Amino acid sequence: MTDKLAIIRSLTHDDPAHLSSGHATLTGQPAPVLKSDKDPPSAKDSPHLGALVSKLRPSDSGLPSFVAMPWKAYHPAAPGGEAPGQHGGWLGSAYDGMLLGGDLNDPNWHPQGLSLPADIGLQRLESRVELLKMLDGQRASLHRSLGAANYGNHQSRAIEMIGSSSVRSAFDLAQESDVTRERYGRNIHGQSVLMARRLVEHGVPLVSVNWHNDGKNFWDTHGDNFNRLKNDLIPPADRALSALLQDLEERGLLDETIVAWVGEFGRTPNITKNNSGREHWPYCYSGILAGGGIRPGMVYGASDKHAAYPASNPVSPQDFATTILHAMGLPTDASLLDREQRPHRISSGKVLHELLT
């Protein structure tokens, strides 16, 4: 598959903490508190790339503009828990995106909030919506506040989605053949990546698949690194990524879909002697881009002979994200206003034009 990939071998920063470096990876901006595993999400976070897309290129298909799955990125050993930078941040909660939680490989899985209880049909839902509109009209002053307005926007979108058969169809993995589902891998990650392809195909502008934590398969390999990678982690990741690239190409979607595969940092070039583990290492690591105007079959940057530091063309998380935004046709020099009407640049990195066709 390397003929389809642009591999960046010189990603680098100096933040070894999961949470704050996760913010930089997902937003392309430094976290409000650097080098911290103690600080959870806050209103000071930069918007997730999906939130920026929701603001600048909202979906017109009735579907959300930004979907994340199968849960938000978090680290069970980090005091702060959930990584910052996974929501609308200073743009506000109206741009938080939709979270598809749970095990998408479970035969009983269905997206929460897109189905009605058995005793409520569409006609009954519509009558309830009319009643709600009447009540809302009587408390209009409340809806002039920011929080209530955002709540109303989310509520309206939810009602619209529940009533749309085409929206429900986009989230229906049962419409995929057994062959296709097997091709992606019958596991949480594989089925999440397949769902991402369905959503992109139905018009969702940005989908983020976070690696799951099922208590067994976790990339933070401080111990038994090599067996964990070989037996548990790389096989499902490799299977899903290769299936996605092939599937998008066969459907004529790869040229207009950017695939990004990257983590918040790499691992130490040396091995921990007592347990064959590898520790956090943000100073040099790799990431992948493909499709959507990315030049295929190339390697950008290089590490030194120890794979410890970049030897050429260092790339920051800000550069990585800015290049994605540029390839999507978004104005990387644009500014947006936060809730206090203060301007913020949407990107702070440089575009890696060598990666673009």
Side-chain angles (χ1 to χ4, degrees), residues 68 78 93 111 174 181 186 224 310 348:
S93 61
R181 298 193 70 174
R186 292 306 296 253
D224 198 21
S348 58

Side-chain angles (χ1 to χ4, degrees), residues 63-80:
L63 286 157
S65 298
F66 162 37
V67 176
M69 65 182 100
W71 39 51
K72 290 187 176 180
Y74 70 96
H75 196 293

Side-chain angles (χ1 to χ4, degrees), residues 94-346:
Y95 302 99
D96 280 357
M98 177 181 183
L99 177 66
L100 282 184
D103 182 356
L104 279 72
N105 190 45
D106 187 325
N108 297 317
W109 180 88
H110 63 275
Q112 294 182 348
L114 288 185
S115 58
L116 293 170
D119 60 337
I120 299 180
L122 280 177
Q123 185 174 2
R124 189 174 179 187
L125 173 66
E126 290 169 356
S127 68
R128 289 186 175 188
V129 171
E130 291 304 314
L131 175 61
L132 182 62
K133 288 179 179 178
M134 182 182 70
L135 294 173
D136 284 345
Q138 296 174 3
R139 52 181 185 176
S141 60
L142 175 64
H143 281 267
R144 279 193 285 269
S145 69
L146 178 62
N150 283 339
Y151 175 77
N153 291 338
H154 285 301
Q155 188 180 68
S156 298
R157 288 203 301 267
I159 292 170
E160 181 182 357
M161 290 168 62
I162 288 174
S164 169
S165 60
S166 61
V167 168
R168 293 197 301 274
S169 174
F171 291 94
D172 187 3
L173 280 176
Q175 295 189 18
E176 298 290 339
S177 69
D178 290 340
V179 172
T180 298
R181 298 193 70 174
E182 185 68 27
R183 181 181 180 185
Y184 277 82
R186 292 306 296 253
N187 51 68
I188 299 175
H189 181 67
Q191 298 307 293
S192 295
V193 174
L194 175 56
M195 176 64 80
R197 191 227 75 207
R198 285 189 63 83
L199 295 179
V200 167
E201 195 172 28
H202 281 78
V204 176
L206 193 142
V207 183
S208 179
V209 177
N210 301 317
W211 190 266
H212 57 281
N213 176 20
D214 58 4
K216 298 180 293 184
N217 299 314
F218 208 45
W219 285 85
D220 200 22
T221 52
H222 291 283
D224 198 21
N225 173 78
F226 300 98
N227 289 324
R228 299 285 287 114
L229 291 175
K230 179 180 178 181
N231 299 324
D232 303 323
L233 295 165
I234 290 177
D238 178 60
R239 184 169 188 160
L241 178 60
S242 59
L244 176 65
L245 294 172
Q246 286 180 319
D247 204 0
L248 288 172
E249 187 171 55
E250 290 168 0
R251 294 168 183 269
L253 294 172
L254 186 58
D255 287 344
E256 59 188 56
T257 305
I258 299 170
V259 178
W261 202 99
V262 71
E264 71 270 42
F265 44 57
R267 315 302 296 189
T268 50
N270 57 301
I271 301 164
T272 307
K273 186 177 181 179
N274 64 343
N275 64 2
S276 299
R278 294 175 68 191
E279 317 305 331
H280 299 181
W281 191 257
Y283 306 103
C284 191
Y285 62 108
S286 296
I288 290 171
L289 293 171
I294 302 298
R295 190 181 303 278
M298 72 171 296
V299 173
Y300 184 87
S303 66
D304 62 17
K305 65 180 182 179
H306 299 296
Y309 299 96
S312 65
N313 296 324
V315 175
S316 70
Q318 294 93 315
D319 300 335
F320 192 84
T322 301
T323 301
I324 292 173
L325 293 173
H326 176 81
M328 292 185 71
L330 298 178
T332 57
D333 59 348
S335 294
L336 295 174
L337 299 178
D338 65 16
R339 287 162 299 212
E340 285 75 37
Q341 301 302 300
R342 296 171 298 192
H344 297 260
R345 283 280 301 271
I346 69 168

